[in-house]
Amino acid sequence: MEKFETYAKNKTALINNFLKDYIKNYQGHVSQRFGPLLESMDYSLGGEGKRLRPLLIVASAECVGIPEEDILPAACAMEYIHTASLVHDDMPAMDDDDMRRGKPSNHKKFGEPIALLTGDALLTEAFGLMAQLQGRGRFSTEQILSAIELLVHYTGVRGMMGGQLLDVTAEHPTYNLPEVEFIHIHKTGALILGSVLLPTRLKMVDADLVLKLRRYGEAIGLAFQISDDLLDSEASIRYSRGPRKKPKPCYSHFMSATEMRQKVNGLVDSAVDNVSPLGHKAEPLISIAEFIRNRKS
Ligand code: GRG
């Protein structure tokens, strides 16, 4: 089976080229006066991002039979949304983090007003990228609208933003493990599950395949955030983000590192079991799940 490193290296290069070209194209077409906003978007899109969500979209597309060149606008739209959430999450009103992707967080570099606009612009332009699916002649308008509806579902009130609301308003003395899990499933799991499911809106696929992908996406979505908590709890300084300033609802308040590791292993096993019957088409998804099991960053 192709290892995650090889798979990720090839596909990440494609994704990064698309992201760069998109900004470059903008730079040539908008007033120079808007340059600082594009520079700030480009800054946050760059750095040490793993591109996990676009990689999942490309891998899931492969599983349902959509070529990577056709799905790239949607994969990059998801990275725009994820990056928007990181920029806003780092701001003093939220997590107040000084570092992101191995460099100063957006507001530290550009100031709060530009950081706020950068998140807004990335979120908005993501839907412009989704509209680019139309130009390729491969997807129907109904399919594209259905993919946009899915993106709204997993990004908005019912997904990441709802989860973030609970995350920032959690009362630490009262929250418990089911509540932390509920927050994780929405705050982090939603975009991951949405990434796995998005290609199923762009191609006719049978319900059993959608169910297998859903179970895979739910399992790795939660596993990813638990592994994030695990990495946080084991590190004196968090990978590419620096020390945490504000307490957060997290698994390490309720479980030992060994228990968290067991939980991650159980979820990854279940994710792999769900897509293994799909054969070699599911190999990229399996290698991503194994990356989540073993990740150090
Ligand atoms: C403006 C779109 C938008 C959202 C506002 C701030 C917010 C609502 C949501 C924040 C959600 C959030 C940051 C959840 C944490 C998810 C998480 C584990 C991020 C780290 O993901 P990685 O490790 O990061 O994939 P890289 O940098 O590798 O992409």
Side-chain angles (χ1 to χ4, degrees), residues 124-137:
T124 307
E125 298 295 340
F127 292 90
L129 273 162
M130 288 301 285
Q132 285 205 356
L133 291 170
Q134 181 83 59
R136 316 216 146 201

Side-chain angles (χ1 to χ4, degrees), residues 55-83:
L55 285 172
L56 278 168
I57 293 187
V58 171
S60 170
E62 207 165 318
C63 209
V64 305
I66 301 174
E68 63 196 17
E69 60 273 19
D70 290 339
I71 202 77
L72 273 176
C76 291
M78 189 60 92
E79 186 64 17
Y80 266 43
I81 293 175
H82 167 61
T83 305

Side-chain angles (χ1 to χ4, degrees), residues 44-54 79-91 94-95 100-102 116 118-120 122-123 155-156 160-165 167-168 184 186-189 191-192 221 224-225 228-229 231 239-241 291 295 297:
S44 285
L45 285 164
E48 295 172 357
K50 292 181 285 300
R51 311 296 189 220
L52 173 72
R53 295 147 196 84
E79 186 64 17
Y80 266 43
I81 293 175
H82 167 61
T83 305
S85 81
L86 300 180
V87 171
H88 282 185
D89 192 49
D90 289 340
M91 293 183 70
M94 298 236 181
D95 270 14
R100 172 66 69 178
R101 293 181 160 172
L116 200 53
T118 299
D120 293 344
L122 286 166
L123 180 60
T155 301
M160 175 177 65
M161 293 193 192
Q164 181 72 357
L165 167 80
D167 184 273
V168 297
H184 280 12
H186 290 83
K187 182 185 81 164
T188 303
L191 278 200
I192 291 179
F224 187 77
Q225 182 61 57
D228 214 60
D229 288 354
L231 288 174
Y239 171 79
S240 84
R241 267 182 289 166
F291 162 75
R295 80 190 183 105
S297 66

